[in-house]
Amino acid sequence: RSKNGAMEALSPTARARRESLFASHAAGGWWLMPPAPDGHCFVEGHDPFSFAAPAVGLMLAFAVARRMLGRAGVAVGRAVRGQGADQVDWSRFGDVSYFTVCHLALSALFVGAIGGEALGWMADTGVLWEYEQPRLSAGLYGYYVIELAFTGESCVHMLLSLAADSSSRDVPMLIHHAATLLVMLAALRAGFVRVGAAVLFIHDATDLPIDATRLCQSLGWTRSLYASVLATLASWAALRLYAFPRYVVASALLDTTHYLEVFDFVGLKVISVAYTLYVLPLLFLVALHYYWFGLIVLKAGRQLGLLPSGEKKRKAA
């Protein structure tokens, strides 16, 4: 962009909104985040609070679905497993069955409802971080509401599980879902819904083969287990290790310099703080992805018999 390119490209409506932010900031109305419904980008017709009511309603639907899908998964699993069924943690199996269906449905929803839009984001990643962005499509709005409900219900369910049993193994997953929900809400409040949707799809699509691996392991399906392990490695390499840094993180680093001009009235220190709050979590996620991928490779190597298991190492010692 040229020095004044960012301002010249804005529509009269976006310029008026920016001038309103300038006036409210000068009057001491805000420091880091403009008052709602404004955010760090101008999305036509965007009101972050309009997501609340439908998301809360859908949380109840997900709570019912968790119970129904969990029971159905256990019933099918017991019938399929047959001999050795007493060796399976069926409570955990029911939870994994629920998450498998949800991750599959959410990934399919993304592809079907906003897959075409997402291809446009990949072709020009700068659109993810434009100050002026078009109105959210019905598909994108619906997808984000459903994701909010799914993640919110998961957090509530795990909190209740911990309240009932402080030794529950849900603590790591609760931290994961709580962090996801925080990122989703921050993206929603700031207006970067497209960035949030892209991150959510990448995680849902790569969680799916992990769910399949756990189910196959519990059911004793050796060949399917090997296939799901390979699918996990392939999906993580393609989406978390390549697509996420290439299309999301790189664009956050390279396609956001116009905000120095759009928000020049807040000062460089405030812009630096906001920039850090956006970029640092994304970089941290990249580091976690590579770390987790290393752990998955080690575990996959043991499951496929390419690496010695921990038990064999102990016997050798």
Side-chain angles (χ1 to χ4, degrees):
R1 291 176 183 274
S2 64
K3 180 172 173 46
N4 296 315
M7 294 302 300
E8 291 175 354
L10 297 182
S11 68
T13 303
R15 289 188 186 185
R17 184 62 63 88
R18 189 255 184 195
E19 291 303 316
S20 174
L21 295 180
F22 170 75
S24 62
H25 180 269
W30 60 280
W31 176 67
L32 186 63
M33 178 68 73
D38 291 306
H40 287 153
C41 66
F42 170 61
V43 184
E44 183 184 355
H46 178 59
D47 178 7
F49 298 114
S50 70
F51 289 69
V56 171
L58 283 174
M59 283 177 63
L60 299 176
F62 273 110
V64 173
R66 175 187 291 273
R67 182 174 293 272
M68 294 176 63
L69 292 173
R71 287 180 176 177
V74 171
V76 172
R78 284 184 179 276
V80 171
R81 175 74 188 197
Q83 200 171 23
D86 57 335
Q87 301 173 5
V88 177
D89 182 347
W90 290 110
S91 175
R92 182 65 60 177
F93 187 90
D95 285 339
V96 176
S97 300
Y98 165 74
F99 281 114
T100 301
V101 174
C102 288
H103 288 144
L104 178 61
L106 289 169
S107 298
L109 176 62
F110 181 93
V111 173
I114 54 176
E117 290 184 58
L119 290 176
W121 306 342
M122 293 174 64
D124 180 10
T125 57
V127 301
L128 294 171
W129 301 98
E130 289 286 359
Y131 171 68
E132 183 177 8
Q133 300 192 17
R135 182 183 297 272
L136 302 182
S137 66
L140 180 54
Y141 177 87
Y143 172 77
Y144 213 83
V145 166
I146 293 171
E147 283 279 11
L148 281 170
F150 168 64
T151 308
E153 188 278 335
S154 296
C155 289
V156 172
H157 174 79
M158 290 174 190
L159 276 173
L160 293 176
S161 296
L162 285 174
D165 179 11
S166 59
S167 63
S168 172
R169 292 178 293 174
D170 283 333
V171 174
M173 287 304 296
L174 173 60
I175 295 174
H176 169 73
H177 282 285
T180 301
L181 183 61
L182 182 62
V183 170
M184 292 174 68
L185 292 173
L188 178 65
R189 175 65 181 84
F192 297 113
V193 178
R194 291 170 174 85
V195 177
V199 173
L200 288 168
F201 169 71
I202 287 172
H203 284 79
D204 284 339
T206 50
D207 280 341
L208 185 56
I210 293 179
D211 295 334
T213 298
R214 291 170 177 165
L215 293 178
C216 292
Q217 196 167 25
S218 297
L219 295 173
W221 292 354
T222 305
R223 292 183 179 178
S224 297
L225 173 64
Y226 292 164
S228 60
V229 167
L230 293 175
T232 297
L233 295 175
S235 64
W236 272 64
L239 295 176
R240 294 207 188 198
L241 304 191
Y242 173 72
F244 182 69
R246 165 67 178 82
Y247 295 107
V248 178
V249 180
S251 65
L253 294 170
L254 303 175
D255 297 327
T256 52
T257 55
H258 54 285
Y259 282 96
L260 290 171
E261 182 182 344
V262 174
F263 285 100
D264 58 359
F265 55 85
V266 304
L268 185 58
K269 288 184 178 179
V270 176
I271 292 177
S272 299
V273 170
Y275 184 77
T276 301
L277 290 175
Y278 283 123
V279 174
L280 198 59
L282 295 175
L283 293 174
F284 182 63
L285 269 180
V286 171
L288 282 178
H289 290 168
Y290 275 92
Y291 172 71
W292 288 332
F293 185 74
L295 296 180
I296 291 172
V297 169
L298 291 175
K299 187 173 182 178
R302 296 188 185 106
Q303 289 176 328
L304 297 174
L306 302 177
L307 294 175
S309 66
E311 187 176 339
K312 288 181 179 179
K313 284 184 177 180
R314 285 192 296 271
K315 287 182 178 178

